[in-house]
Amino acid sequence: MTISLQSAQIIINTALAKGREMGLKPLSAVVLDGGGHVQAFAREDGAAPGRFAIAHGKAYGAVMLGMAGTAQMARAEAQAYFMAAVNGVYGGQVIPVPGGVLLRNDSGAVIGAVGVTGDTSDNDAIAAMAGIEAAGLIGEI
Amino acid sequence: MTISLQSAQIIINTALAKGREMGLKPLSAVVLDGGGHVQAFAREDGAAPGRFAIAHGKAYGAVMLGMAGTAQMARAEAQAYFMAAVNGVYGGQVIPVPGGVLLRNDSGAVIGAVGVTGDTSDNDAIAAMAGIEAAGLIGEI
Amino acid sequence: MTISLQSAQIIINTALAKGREMGLKPLSAVVLDGGGHVQAFAREDGAAPGRFAIAHGKAYGAVMLGMAGTAQMARAEAQAYFMAAVNGVYGGQVIPVPGGVLLRNDSGAVIGAVGVTGDTSDNDAIAAMAGIEAAGLIGEI
Amino acid sequence: MTISLQSAQIIINTALAKGREMGLKPLSAVVLDGGGHVQAFAREDGAAPGRFAIAHGKAYGAVMLGMAGTAQMARAEAQAYFMAAVNGVYGGQVIPVPGGVLLRNDSGAVIGAVGVTGDTSDNDAIAAMAGIEAAGLIGEI
């Protein structure tokens, strides 16, 4: 099971709308499938040009490790050299902070991840969760 | 001047719809801004997982060189080692075939590019142009 | 839908056995899932040390492009610079020759790929197909 | 002297079975030869897609440095910049934590390494050792 493009676009559009509603800085959001491949992405007007790579890095680490952003950050705080090494084997593509949210199906299997960036990591995660709920999916922050 | 997210989403959604209307294989489409940075992307259900990189490569080369996909392909046919060398300096991110379409403003300045992939290069370019016209912009194939 | 480890091991063990039965050089075989990630691999005693990367490259390109080895080779013969550029965006991980076999489910969706290397490309593909048939799956050479 | 494919498969299958017996998260296991090249690998159903790279990184550092995971971790704790620099020269392929187990022959020479990942680093190492013992080999955690 994977995420349809329609679901991905609901997640992204709702996350960006949530950011505007909360008065956050302009957000960018990506949805990856269960193999870590980009399904859809959008960058709000006014967001910095490099935001794709940050959003992607949050979601990519979540899928590849099967570990959401909060757990990755805890590991990075406890064992910085481990997350640095993980980044080595994944080509430097992992951003281990909140805003990388795992998507699970009803039986708990990982079916993808959402990455949101632009404001604080915690606000990014709130916006991601708004999108995930709008799509009727289960997110793990 | 750059492309708004709204325009980028019109381009992408219209390009994908055009592909369905023409009975093409599932398409993927990206819009890059005038600095070659990702603004928005969507991958149709059923498209191969690696399509982001191909769509991106078509659009990225167009922006970075200021040369659309058709002109890049002509150069690759005439001088393969030149395009290989270009890929060296751009980190291997250029796909020099049609489906990479330059976006210009009224005065002819490049404001971004669209990359479409999934069917033949020529059909990819037709779908990209449908999206660009729907957004009221000028494309160079 | 993806491939179970049990199916992957049947594919690999049968492919290697087929190679011994046919008197081929020592084979190596990999099975990737639908996202291009390694599920299982084995390298026959006597095979050269670098065979993982070749087996992987045959299967990886197949999954990422949704195009089996034979079709990739045809494209490389017709447009060498295109497959070279594809390799750029995929980090140089694509080996575009037979022996990279797509795995499809009953409805035709790609669920992974098998990569076999060690003998001629055509013999590699025969060994891969023997494994795929033993696992009751459908292969596209 | 190196490890036969048969021994490698005993190691991997036993390590994965040990993980199931202990109730661990789904494990992945790799066996590298004395040159650091992949001999065999398996990823349990339900393991995250990126587990090959982590298992490989644990075993690769062990072979290349002739230093098992526990010793690598001690060095990383004491001198993080040293292991970061080691990763630079080895292309970012080293994961310096337990679960990377050196394989030695009767005279103490390194003949390869096993890398296991999926649960805690200590549990990963226990599963690896179960496999190595089943194959009648000597492991250094």
Side-chain angles (χ1 to χ4, degrees):
Chain A
M1 183 187 162
T2 189
I3 303 150
S4 67
L5 173 57
Q6 194 184 354
S7 293
Q9 289 179 325
I10 290 170
I11 292 172
I12 289 171
N13 292 335
T14 308
L16 267 52
K18 181 73 177 180
R20 287 190 297 268
E21 181 198 313
M22 290 172 67
L24 307 184
K25 291 181 192 164
L27 299 182
S28 301
V30 74
V31 175
L32 305 187
D33 67 18
H37 301 290
V38 188
Q39 196 86 48
F41 171 78
R43 175 161 56 100
E44 188 73 87
D45 296 337
R51 288 290 167 181
F52 172 79
I54 307 290
H56 181 269
K58 290 186 178 189
Y60 187 72
V63 171
M64 292 300 273
L65 293 164
M67 195 188 295
T70 304
Q72 286 181 64
M73 186 169 71
R75 188 73 185 260
E77 298 279 357
Q79 231 180 340
Y81 62 85
F82 176 77
M83 286 307 297
V86 163
N87 237 332
V89 297
Y90 293 147
Q93 295 192 72
V94 174
I95 304 280
V97 295
V101 182
L102 274 179
L103 295 173
R104 294 189 185 274
N105 65 13
D106 293 340
S107 46
V110 173
I111 56 170
V114 177
V116 174
T117 183
D119 205 89
T120 66
S121 294
D122 289 338
N123 283 337
D124 294 343
I126 290 169
M129 286 302 288
I132 292 166
E133 279 157 26
L137 292 168
I138 303 168
E140 179 180 321
I141 290 178
Chain B
M1 180 185 162
T2 187
I3 303 149
S4 67
L5 174 56
Q6 194 184 355
S7 293
Q9 288 179 325
I10 290 170
I11 292 172
I12 288 172
N13 292 334
T14 307
L16 267 50
K18 181 72 177 179
R20 286 190 298 269
E21 181 197 313
M22 291 172 67
L24 306 184
K25 291 183 192 163
L27 298 182
S28 302
V30 73
V31 175
L32 304 187
D33 67 17
H37 303 289
V38 188
Q39 194 87 46
F41 172 77
R43 175 161 57 99
E44 187 73 85
D45 298 336
R51 288 292 166 181
F52 173 79
I54 307 291
H56 181 270
K58 290 185 178 188
Y60 188 73
V63 171
M64 293 302 274
L65 293 164
M67 192 189 296
T70 303
Q72 286 181 65
M73 186 168 74
R75 189 69 185 261
E77 297 280 357
Q79 238 181 336
Y81 61 85
F82 175 77
M83 287 308 296
V86 163
N87 244 330
V89 296
Y90 293 145
Q93 293 191 71
V94 174
I95 303 280
V97 295
V101 182
L102 274 179
L103 295 172
R104 295 188 183 274
N105 65 12
D106 292 341
S107 46
V110 173
I111 56 169
V114 178
V116 174
T117 184
D119 206 88
T120 65
S121 295
D122 289 339
N123 283 336
D124 294 342
I126 291 169
M129 287 302 288
I132 292 164
E133 280 157 27
L137 294 167
I138 302 166
E140 179 180 321
I141 291 179
Chain C
M1 182 186 162
T2 187
I3 303 151
S4 67
L5 173 57
Q6 194 184 356
S7 292
Q9 289 179 327
I10 290 170
I11 292 172
I12 289 171
N13 291 335
T14 307
L16 267 51
K18 182 72 178 180
R20 287 190 298 268
E21 181 197 313
M22 290 172 67
L24 306 184
K25 292 182 193 165
L27 300 182
S28 302
V30 73
V31 175
L32 305 187
D33 67 18
H37 302 291
V38 188
Q39 195 87 46
F41 172 77
R43 175 161 57 100
E44 188 72 87
D45 296 336
R51 287 292 166 181
F52 172 79
I54 307 291
H56 182 270
K58 289 186 178 187
Y60 188 72
V63 170
M64 292 300 274
L65 292 165
M67 195 188 294
T70 304
Q72 286 180 65
M73 187 170 71
R75 187 73 184 260
E77 297 279 357
Q79 232 180 340
Y81 63 85
F82 175 77
M83 286 308 296
V86 163
N87 237 333
V89 297
Y90 293 146
Q93 294 192 73
V94 174
I95 304 280
V97 295
V101 182
L102 273 179
L103 295 173
R104 295 189 184 273
N105 66 13
D106 292 341
S107 46
V110 173
I111 56 169
V114 177
V116 174
T117 182
D119 205 90
T120 65
S121 294
D122 289 339
N123 283 338
D124 294 343
I126 290 169
M129 286 304 287
I132 292 165
E133 279 157 25
L137 293 169
I138 303 168
E140 180 180 321
I141 291 178
Chain D
M1 181 186 162
T2 188
I3 304 150
S4 68
L5 174 56
Q6 194 184 354
S7 293
Q9 289 179 325
I10 289 170
I11 293 171
I12 288 171
N13 291 335
T14 306
L16 267 50
K18 182 72 177 179
R20 286 190 298 268
E21 182 197 312
M22 291 173 66
L24 306 184
K25 291 182 193 164
L27 299 181
S28 301
V30 73
V31 175
L32 304 187
D33 67 18
H37 301 290
V38 189
Q39 195 85 47
F41 172 77
R43 175 160 57 101
E44 188 73 86
D45 297 336
R51 289 290 165 182
F52 172 79
I54 307 290
H56 182 270
K58 290 185 178 189
Y60 188 73
V63 171
M64 293 302 274
L65 293 163
M67 193 189 297
T70 304
Q72 286 180 65
M73 185 168 72
R75 190 71 186 262
E77 297 279 358
Q79 238 181 336
Y81 61 85
F82 175 75
M83 288 307 298
V86 163
N87 243 331
V89 295
Y90 293 145
Q93 292 192 71
V94 174
I95 303 280
V97 295
V101 182
L102 274 178
L103 295 173
R104 294 188 184 274
N105 66 11
D106 292 341
S107 46
V110 173
I111 57 169
V114 178
V116 174
T117 183
D119 205 89
T120 66
S121 294
D122 289 339
N123 283 336
D124 294 343
I126 291 170
M129 285 303 288
I132 291 164
E133 281 157 26
L137 293 168
I138 302 167
E140 179 181 321
I141 290 178

